[in-house]
Amino acid sequence: MAHEHAAAHDDHHQAPTGLMRWIKTTNHKDIGTLYLIFSAVMFFVGGAMAMVIRAELFKPGMQFVDPSFFNSMTTVHALAMIFGAVMPAWVGLANWMIPLQIGAPDMALPRMNNFSFWILPFAFTLLLIGFFVPGGAPAGGWTLYPPLVLQGGDSLPMAIFAVHLMGASSIMGVINVIVTIMNMRAPGMTLLRMPLFVWTWLITAYLLIAVMPVLAGAVTMLLTDHFFGTSFFSAAGGGDPVMFQHIFWFFGHPEVYILILPAFGIVSEIIPTFSRKPLFGYEAMVYASASIAFLSFIVWAHHMFTVGMPLAGQMFFMLSTMLIAIPTGVKVFNWCATLWRGSLTFETPMLFALAFLFLFTCGGFSGLMLAIVPADFQYHDTYFVVAHFHYVLVPGAVFAIMAGVYYWMPKWTGHMYDEKLGKWHFWLSAIFVNVLFFPQHFLGLAGMPRRIPDYSTQFADWNMVSSLGAFGFGLSQLLFPYIIWKCVKGGAPAPARAWEGAHGLEWEVPSPAPHHTWDEAPSMAVIARGAEH
Amino acid sequence: MMTKNSAKVASYLSAGALALAASAAHAEWALNMTQGVTDISRRIYSLHMLMLWICVAIGVFVFGWIIYSILSFRKSQGAVPDTRMVHNTKAEVIWTVIPVLILIACAVPAARTLIETENATNTELTIRVTGYQWKWGYDYVDAGVNVLSTLDHASNEARQLNSSIDPASVPDYLLNVDHPLVVPAGTKVRLLLTAQDVIHAWWVPALAVKKDAIPGFINEVWFKVDEDKTGTYRGQCAELCGRDHGFMPIVVEVRSKAEFAAWLEQQKAAAQPAAAPAVTADATATTGQTG
């Protein structure tokens, strides 16, 4: 059997131990773990900033921070969460799971894999020490719109270089993913046998390769505008500040799908497992994901309906944006059909996946409303938008990451996590996330703009509710590292197939997965068993 | 849990809508957009409600489906999975085509309203709006009258860090200015928006107008307040513009045509003798008008 071989091989494994093991590692599992730990750290760093934001917004009046610092909080919260927490979590899960799921012994480019991870701590150090330089951390919003962003202090070039580093890291990471998936699938693991997590990651990787250089270009133009006398974005020099927004959102919209597509993949693994039934409409799911990725390139200007575009432009971006509802609807209906006539159990990963299904759909609804241009004139840059993207990113992307961690933790650690604590974590998160974000819809509709440190007294009530939800949600997340730590340290031993209904090659190797797996490609019979999606 | 939520929310939203329709005043615990005081703002409001109810209907269907599955197909109650159920072309075509039809039903009224909002012909009064860090400038271009509009003193005192002034004691906290924008009712008013330093956005919810003010560019937007809807309407800058982005409100005072004409004449007269330091003179001259 393959895993016996792998276990035997493990004995010969002569890697450095201690700290050097982690610094020099080229093993996909070690690097996956590093990414996930980094992501968790940034989740709490970004989360702490969210707590500062919600504390200041708890009641009208300025109680804790200067408005500039408040702006730095919203800016760096977003950068830390998007580039530091969610994206590295996806890369970490990809590193751990893609080779296991396609029957490959490791990622295709292991040294580059190491490099792409170790760039990240430097990138974020550069971003975060911005708080301690003259002028403070970037405060122009994560969207970095000129001319405002160019008023930043010494942290501006640091933030730009940090974005360059994050981009380089992402590009290396996703080249690795593409090469691994394209070249290292076990014989018999055809493209349409791949698990959906692998499929959605493959699509995500292409999106990243397409748009990260665009972001790098945009921020480089900011840099030369600020330091080298160019005027790409300065009207006084013949440039155009709105052009930055077009370039930024040409990156930015695919970026938000980069954050959510792997979530679709994970949910498409977990719902069938705990429904004990194959995924409904596997091929439709693949094609829907690809359609969403394609559409993400032609909808960017819906983020900027108020900049004064020609009527034809507004019309085009409204209609193309509405089209996204169709493939997204197909996905939601397929998940619902997967539940139908299944045999459902509700372990923590399934609970998070079901919450994803409900709450991501809520985020999709507000997204559809935001597509309607005349209505968007009222929604744009209000808390309605804040509620919308937090619904798709927190109970959407973040819940899917948590679902994935609970789902695969037995495979990683060889122990079952504490189910009771996991359920506590789920219920507290699911309740507080709604207390936190649902009232923000009301605030936005009642007229509260986003990114303001203080507000008129008419907005006081829902802001207080939202802040209470935020504190509850923030505190509940402390359970998560504790549960993981407890699971690493011990717990009921996990069988190779940790979940009764689980399919896929990762469940064919023992738990915990040995340091090296699939040194010998899985047999056709094993692949066929795993590929019952 | 979630369907209960969404049903509740739906009833809250409709109740909120009714409550808001009844009183134009700032309601606490407000839940919904206001109808506004222009034809366009009401059309946008009904588009918003149309989309909301469509989403609620789809939500009831999808969430109902999920809840039913969660309740009916439980392993603990002996549910046996139907593992052959992997694909059904008929169902998949249905749930692709029906959303297309729903989207078309949304797109038609949305496109109509959009075309109407972009129709800035036959305007009767033009005002240039300039965003500054952190105030608004209003120039009545044909009359040569300028107004600078900044956060009112009381709000500005109260909003300082640890000011120990209770914001609730300040009338219209953060939504009041020294010199409001004065416009006539029943008149198609055109705003030409630009900015001096960074991008700002001029937003008054009751007028359903939100447009970016961009340095080096001029954006055009218009509104026509109903003849009988004179009064004061408040909004805020809606594009992050630096430290005091949250502290540059917009106040629009809508007066009858006659009152507006009288006000404008008075402003013009006040502006004449001190034409050289125009802005300061105008600012002092308008003071008497804001009480």
Side-chain angles (χ1 to χ4, degrees):
Chain A
M1 294 252 315
H3 51 80
E4 278 163 12
H5 172 84
H9 187 91
D10 217 25
D11 295 337
H12 304 287
H13 176 64
Q14 289 173 346
T17 51
L19 187 62
M20 286 320 274
R21 165 181 169 190
W22 296 103
I23 291 175
K24 294 169 74 174
T25 182
T26 54
N27 179 283
H28 73 102
K29 300 183 184 82
D30 283 356
I31 293 172
T33 304
L34 286 171
Y35 266 109
L36 289 168
I37 292 170
F38 180 80
S39 157
V41 170
M42 294 311 294
F43 181 65
F44 284 100
V45 169
M49 294 177 192
M51 294 301 112
V52 174
I53 293 168
R54 284 316 320 173
E56 183 55 62
L57 293 174
F58 184 73
K59 60 178 194 171
M62 299 297 297
Q63 289 87 27
F64 302 110
V65 296
D66 181 82
S68 299
F69 187 77
F70 183 90
N71 289 343
S72 294
M73 285 286 114
T74 55
T75 304
V76 183
H77 162 74
L79 291 170
M81 286 304 198
I82 294 168
F83 293 101
V86 176
M87 286 172 71
W90 290 136
V91 182
L93 290 170
N95 260 293
W96 250 104
M97 302 318 300
I98 288 176
L100 282 178
Q101 290 192 314
I102 63 174
D106 204 314
M107 296 295 277
L109 307 158
R111 287 184 184 81
M112 194 165 85
N113 204 9
N114 173 294
F115 188 39
S116 72
F117 171 76
W118 279 109
I119 287 176
L120 277 183
F122 293 94
F124 280 89
T125 306
L126 206 50
L127 179 70
L128 293 175
I129 56 177
F131 281 104
F132 306 104
V133 301
W142 84 278
T143 49
L144 306 170
Y145 283 3
L148 178 64
V149 72
L150 301 176
Q151 294 182 344
D154 293 354
S155 64
L156 173 70
M158 292 158 64
I160 288 175
F161 191 48
V163 170
H164 281 146
L165 288 176
M166 293 167 206
S169 160
S170 296
I171 288 174
M172 283 192 274
V174 301
I175 286 175
N176 222 337
V177 167
I178 292 176
V179 177
T180 305
I181 296 174
M182 287 311 198
N183 293 313
M184 302 206 23
R185 277 171 290 129
M189 176 56 77
T190 57
L191 284 175
L192 283 175
R193 270 184 166 175
M194 296 194 311
L196 263 170
F197 180 65
V198 180
W199 254 117
T200 51
W201 235 114
L202 181 64
I203 294 165
T204 303
Y206 278 105
L207 286 183
L208 262 162
I209 282 209
V211 300
M212 286 313 282
V214 177
L215 175 67
V219 296
T220 306
M221 284 186 269
L222 288 179
L223 195 72
T224 62
D225 268 14
H226 197 54
F227 293 103
F228 305 112
T230 59
S231 35
F232 290 108
F233 307 128
S234 155
D240 180 350
V242 177
M243 185 174 75
F244 177 86
Q245 300 185 20
H246 281 290
I247 300 171
F248 180 86
W249 286 112
F250 185 80
F251 146 79
H253 199 80
E255 168 67 23
V256 300
Y257 289 8
I258 287 162
L259 301 176
I260 201 68
L261 278 172
F264 292 167
I266 286 199
V267 169
S268 303
E269 310 258 319
I270 291 174
I271 289 182
T273 296
F274 296 95
S275 302
R276 293 168 179 75
K277 194 166 155 279
L279 182 68
F280 188 88
Y282 168 86
E283 288 190 29
M285 289 299 232
V286 173
Y287 300 138
S289 303
S291 312
I292 292 171
F294 168 75
L295 288 172
S296 76
F297 285 107
I298 58 164
V299 297
W300 75 87
H302 70 212
H303 296 269
M304 35 194 288
F305 279 140
T306 63
V307 295
M309 263 183 288
L311 177 61
Q314 298 184 53
M315 204 66 92
F316 172 80
F317 286 107
M318 172 169 81
L319 297 175
S320 60
T321 303
M322 292 172 81
L323 280 182
I324 297 174
I326 295 163
T328 314
V330 166
K331 297 197 81 95
V332 170
F333 295 135
N334 279 340
W335 288 321
C336 294
T338 306
L339 295 170
W340 191 257
R341 284 156 66 185
S343 175
L344 277 59
T345 52
F346 303 94
E347 290 85 345
T348 308
M350 180 63 157
L351 290 174
F352 273 107
L354 288 172
F356 170 95
L357 192 48
F358 278 109
L359 300 177
F360 175 79
T361 305
C362 284
F365 288 146
S366 52
L368 184 58
M369 296 171 76
L370 283 158
I372 305 297
V373 183
D376 182 72
F377 292 153
Q378 293 283 46
Y379 307 142
H380 181 79
D381 265 335
T382 69
Y383 260 84
F384 190 79
V385 177
V386 176
H388 159 71
F389 66 71
H390 280 98
Y391 258 83
V392 288
L393 287 179
V394 183
V398 172
F399 273 23
I401 291 166
M402 288 171 174
V405 169
Y406 281 109
Y407 183 55
W408 284 313
M409 214 177 340
K411 180 56 62 190
W412 301 338
T413 64
H415 304 128
M416 299 307 285
Y417 59 85
D418 185 330
E419 188 65 51
K420 202 171 157 194
L421 282 177
K423 288 207 163 95
W424 269 102
H425 178 216
F426 167 75
W427 283 109
L428 289 171
S429 301
I431 291 165
F432 281 123
V433 85
N434 284 292
V435 179
L436 163 55
F437 293 119
F438 212 92
Q440 297 185 356
H441 291 111
F442 307 144
L443 287 169
L445 294 176
M448 180 169 162
R450 62 189 285 208
R451 292 166 164 172
I452 57 174
D454 195 8
Y455 48 82
S456 187
T457 46
Q458 69 198 322
F459 304 125
D461 309 292
W462 287 122
N463 268 301
M464 191 175 282
V465 172
S466 178
S467 288
L468 290 172
F471 304 145
F473 186 78
L475 285 174
S476 314
Q477 298 323 306
L478 298 175
L479 276 173
F480 194 38
Y482 173 70
I483 293 167
I484 296 170
W485 178 250
K486 205 175 156 200
C487 181
V488 170
K489 287 282 139 195
R497 189 181 305 278
W499 308 106
E500 186 191 29
H503 287 278
L505 293 182
E506 74 266 39
W507 307 109
E508 303 288 337
V509 301
S511 303
H515 201 63
H516 294 285
T517 39
W518 300 132
D519 282 339
E520 220 168 76
S523 70
M524 293 300 258
V526 167
I527 287 179
R529 189 163 70 221
E532 293 168 26
H533 297 294
Chain B
M1 171 198 120
M2 302 310 159
T3 3
K4 245 191 249 161
N5 262 357
S6 62
K8 246 194 216 163
V9 162
S11 64
Y12 281 159
L13 284 180
S14 52
L18 288 175
L20 283 167
S23 73
H26 298 307
E28 291 189 349
W29 299 104
L31 297 165
N32 201 4
M33 195 186 279
T34 50
Q35 296 227 26
V37 292
T38 68
D39 179 47
I40 292 288
S41 75
R42 280 186 296 270
R43 290 176 66 164
I44 287 177
Y45 174 81
S46 32
L47 258 184
H48 158 70
M49 292 312 286
L50 170 76
M51 294 308 298
L52 178 68
W53 287 118
I54 286 176
C55 290
V56 168
I58 302 172
V60 168
F61 170 69
V62 173
F63 297 158
W65 185 355
I66 302 171
I67 300 253
Y68 182 85
S69 305
I70 289 175
L71 296 178
S72 310
F73 308 117
R74 303 171 84 91
K75 190 181 182 227
S76 57
Q77 291 171 3
V80 178
D82 178 359
T83 52
R84 291 161 310 144
M85 197 188 125
V86 292
H87 177 64
N88 184 327
T89 310
K90 205 197 264 175
E92 289 172 76
V93 167
I94 290 172
W95 67 51
T96 310
V97 170
I98 291 181
V100 172
L101 299 177
I102 295 174
L103 289 179
I104 292 172
C106 303
V108 171
R112 283 211 184 110
T113 308
L114 178 59
I115 290 167
E116 193 53 40
T117 60
E118 291 294 311
N119 176 15
T121 55
N122 299 321
T123 51
E124 298 153 85
L125 172 69
T126 299
I127 301 166
R128 189 165 63 229
V129 178
T130 311
Y132 303 91
Q133 284 174 316
W134 291 273
K135 53 184 173 280
W136 294 98
Y138 301 115
D139 305 334
Y140 295 78
V141 285
D142 296 325
V145 169
N146 310 307
V147 175
L148 262 185
S149 183
T150 45
L151 182 68
D152 74 313
H153 185 71
S155 291
N156 198 35
E157 291 279 291
R159 65 107 173 173
Q160 302 303 325
L161 193 57
N162 298 316
S163 68
S164 70
I165 301 171
D166 179 10
S169 70
V170 180
D172 294 307
Y173 176 61
L174 297 185
L175 289 181
N176 207 4
V177 295
D178 49 2
H179 309 302
L181 171 68
V182 180
V183 294
T187 307
K188 193 164 179 180
V189 179
R190 177 169 69 149
L191 302 182
L192 297 176
L193 297 118
T194 187
Q196 188 70 31
D197 32 49
V198 301
I199 303 174
H200 303 265
W202 197 86
W203 180 35
V204 176
L207 308 178
V209 166
K210 185 186 287 139
K211 196 68 116 182
D212 290 0
I214 302 167
F217 284 70
I218 293 175
N219 265 331
E220 180 183 62
V221 78
W222 65 274
F223 59 89
K224 185 177 182 180
V225 179
D226 299 352
E227 203 88 52
D228 58 337
K229 293 278 172 39
T230 53
T232 306
Y233 303 102
R234 298 170 198 278
Q236 281 176 272
C237 177
E239 178 65 57
L240 179 62
C241 59
R243 183 177 184 273
D244 286 352
H245 162 57
F247 308 102
M248 49 182 293
I250 296 154
V251 178
V252 179
E253 226 176 273
V254 181
R255 301 188 181 184
S256 70
K257 281 179 185 169
E259 280 177 52
F260 173 76
W263 175 85
L264 196 62
E265 281 311 311
Q266 205 183 348
Q267 297 300 310
K268 269 199 259 185
Q272 295 292 306
V279 173
T280 348
D282 289 341
T284 8
T286 46
T287 319
Q289 296 301 317
T290 52

